[in-house]
């Protein structure tokens, strides 16, 4: 899933390159895995609660709305919290709040009210947002500065691993090995176990972090050049349109994943039981993990905007195919979208802040707020699914990726406008 990047310059926590930070690094990378796992569980939780509470698609998409709206509401306060109390306390706060959100699933099941599940999801996502604001600087600091990028890539790979195995594990825990058990068909009892387990894991890691002697970050600052002096972010069209591109990407990615279980249950697509369909989501997110490795190599030789345009066009083609076919073709074409989603978030993020100079940090903050697309786009697709069916509702993410393709194609021209304003060639 998408990760918050404050685009700060990090200095290694210690000049002693021989110091062993294996234990704190292991603890930190575990966080990346967990929040990837937790986030993708929503794709399995949606059909489960939809059936239990007899929800429309629009109502079911409130799950993603409440989860991803936390990014919009909490990102800036989280940054202020971390700035005042430090990264370690930020990590501890995020862990405790996320675990509290997981624990709130228990009373939500007992009371059997959908709005309580939504509240629990918002609290859980708030904790994850704080974790993401805090975690990247710590991973960068846990060792020599020259290998900081390698550590961050390792952590992000574990995040992708979490999103890959999450649907498979979630399918077994929420639906049972052979589907929803008759005794639980009208209840959400199966939801308690995975979230109580996650709460225990988060609390355990919090205890470990409380006693770990973590390094102090020597320095973290915005880029020091002044090419943007006297200018504002609204004068940078490559950033402003990039914010919309992040909104569309996160929204499109999350919306597609949110509907897969119900989509594969359609008689004209695959007619799968929920537990079997839920396991297939792993291929959607697993494709993104594989694509990151392929994209990492390709981007060394291909312009980022060109790679973004190619991937966007591939996704557009796959969406058109899945909307106009049935059976295996429709099913595998939508699953293949994950492979081409892989490089989009970091690519859009990096090209949108390119050349911003001293405005880079603020521009990064704007891009992080755009993650709220994961809250709004699935909700809009839910409205279309209720009125026209799931298959036609994919027109909503299709529009999102058409915009991304336009942004990629227009990027050079957009960036040149900014260069002219700040006097760069």
């Amino acid at each position: 899933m998408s990760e918050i990047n404050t685009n700060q310059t990090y200095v290694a926590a210690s000049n002693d390159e021989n110091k062993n930070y294996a234990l704190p690094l292991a603890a930190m990378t575990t966080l990346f895995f967990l929040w990837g796992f937790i986030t993708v569980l929503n794709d399995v939780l949606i059909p489960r609660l939809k059936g239990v509470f007899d929800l429309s698609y629009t109502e079911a998409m409130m799950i993603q709305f409440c989860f991803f709206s936390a990014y919009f509401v909490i990102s800036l306060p989280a940054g202020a919290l971390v700035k005042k109390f430090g990264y370690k306390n930020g990590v501890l706060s995020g862990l405790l709040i996320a675990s509290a959100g997981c624990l709130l699933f228990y009373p939500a099941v007992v009371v059997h009210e959908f709005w309580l599940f939504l509240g629990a999801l918002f609290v859980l996502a708030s904790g994850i947002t704080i974790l993401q604001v805090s975690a990247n600087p710590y991973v960068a600091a846990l060792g020599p500065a020259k290998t900081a990028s390698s550590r961050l890539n390792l952590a992000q790979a574990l995040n992708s691993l979490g999103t890959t195995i999450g649907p498979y594990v979630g399918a077994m825990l929420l639906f049972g090995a052979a589907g929803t058990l008759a005794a639980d068909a009208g209840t959400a009892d199966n939801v308690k176990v995975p979230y109580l387990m996650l709460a225990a894991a988060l609390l355990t890691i919090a205890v470990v972090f409380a006693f770990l002697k973590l390094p102090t970050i020597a320095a973290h600052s915005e880029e020091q050049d002044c090419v943007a002096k006297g200018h504002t972010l609204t004068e940078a069209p490559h950033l402003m349109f990039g914010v919309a591109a992040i909104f569309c990407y996160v929204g499109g990615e999350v919306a597609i994943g949110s509907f897969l279980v119900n989509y594969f249950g359609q008689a004209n697509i695959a007619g799968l039981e929920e537990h079997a369909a839920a396991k297939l989501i792993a291929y959607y997110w697993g494709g993104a993990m594989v694509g990151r490795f392929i994209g990492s190599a390709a981007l060394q030789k291909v312009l980022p905007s060109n790679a973004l345009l190619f991937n966007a066009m591939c996704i557009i083609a796959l969406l058109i195919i899945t909307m106009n076919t049935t059976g295996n073709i429709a099913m595998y074409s939508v699953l293949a979208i994950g492979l081409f989603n892989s490089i989009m978030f970091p690519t859009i993020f990096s090209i949108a802040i390119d050349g911003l100079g001293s405005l880079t940090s603020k521009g990064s903050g704007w891009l992080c707020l755009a993650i709220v697309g994961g809250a709004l786009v699935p909700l809009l697709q839910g409205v279309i699914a209720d009125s026209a069916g799931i298959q036609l509702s994919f027109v909503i993410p299709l529009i999102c990726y058409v915009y991304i393709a336009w942004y990629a194609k227009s990027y050079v021209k957009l960036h040149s406008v900014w260069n002219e304003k700040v006097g760069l060639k």
Side-chain angles (χ1 to χ4, degrees), residues 100-386:
C102 290
L103 290 173
L104 286 174
F105 275 79
Y106 189 89
V109 170
V110 173
V111 177
H112 199 69
E113 290 287 346
F114 183 54
W115 66 268
L116 283 176
F117 284 98
L118 298 181
L121 281 165
F122 184 86
V123 174
L124 171 57
S126 297
I128 291 176
T129 302
I130 297 171
L131 280 178
Q132 293 204 39
V133 170
S134 308
N136 285 335
Y138 254 135
V139 172
L142 292 172
K146 64 183 180 182
T147 57
S149 177
S150 174
R151 291 191 297 276
L152 285 171
N153 280 325
L154 171 63
Q156 290 169 7
L158 284 174
N159 178 267
S160 293
L161 179 61
T163 62
T164 300
I165 70 172
Y168 189 87
V169 176
M172 292 189 294
L173 292 174
L174 296 183
F175 293 111
T180 304
L181 300 177
D184 294 325
T187 73
D189 284 350
N190 285 9
V191 175
K192 290 187 296 187
V193 175
Y195 285 95
L196 288 176
M197 291 170 62
L198 287 171
L202 290 165
L203 286 172
T204 300
I205 295 175
V207 172
V208 172
F209 264 90
F211 289 97
L212 278 178
K213 185 177 181 181
L214 293 173
T216 300
I217 297 177
H220 54 284
S221 62
E222 296 180 349
E223 292 184 8
Q224 298 301 311
D225 64 283
C226 299
V227 298
K229 187 175 181 181
H231 295 277
T232 63
L233 290 177
T234 55
E235 297 177 83
H238 69 294
L239 171 72
M240 302 306 295
F241 288 107
V243 169
I246 287 289
F247 179 95
C248 287
Y249 165 68
V250 176
E253 178 194 47
V254 172
I256 292 170
S258 299
F259 279 90
L260 289 183
V261 172
N262 292 116
Y263 186 47
F264 295 158
Q266 301 285 299
N268 66 323
I269 304 300
L272 295 175
E273 295 286 342
E274 289 177 327
H275 73 284
K279 293 176 182 178
L280 287 177
I281 301 176
Y283 292 100
Y284 178 72
W285 295 108
M289 180 175 65
V290 173
R292 283 187 175 181
F293 292 104
I294 298 174
S296 178
L299 285 170
Q300 295 180 22
K301 299 181 179 180
V302 180
L303 285 176
S305 58
N306 288 343
L308 181 63
L309 176 60
F310 174 80
N311 280 30
M313 294 303 296
C314 288
I315 292 175
I316 290 169
L318 290 168
L319 282 169
I320 291 173
I321 291 171
T322 198
M323 290 173 64
N324 291 280
T325 58
T326 58
N328 286 339
I329 295 177
M331 181 173 71
Y332 290 120
S333 59
V334 75
L335 284 174
I337 290 173
L339 179 67
F340 298 99
N341 270 334
S342 55
I343 67 162
M344 284 199 166
F345 186 87
T347 301
I348 296 171
F349 206 107
S350 61
I351 65 177
I353 59 175
D354 183 59
L356 292 183
S358 57
L359 294 175
T360 297
S361 183
K362 185 179 292 185
S364 298
W366 285 26
L367 290 164
C368 290
L369 292 177
I371 293 174
V372 74
L376 299 177
V377 175
L379 196 63
L380 181 57
Q381 186 173 350
V383 173
I384 303 301
D386 284 326

Side-chain angles (χ1 to χ4, degrees), residues 46 56-66 68 247-248 250-252 254-256 258-259 372-401:
I46 286 169
S56 67
Y57 287 114
T58 305
E59 291 169 332
M61 288 307 115
M62 287 298 295
I63 291 173
Q64 298 291 30
F65 178 84
C66 288
F68 282 93
F247 179 95
C248 287
V250 176
V254 172
I256 292 170
S258 299
F259 279 90
V372 74
L376 299 177
V377 175
L379 196 63
L380 181 57
Q381 186 173 350
V383 173
I384 303 301
D386 284 326
S387 59
I390 297 179
Q391 195 162 21
L392 286 177
S393 74
F394 284 111
V395 69
I396 299 301
L398 176 63
I399 293 170
C400 290
Y401 287 105

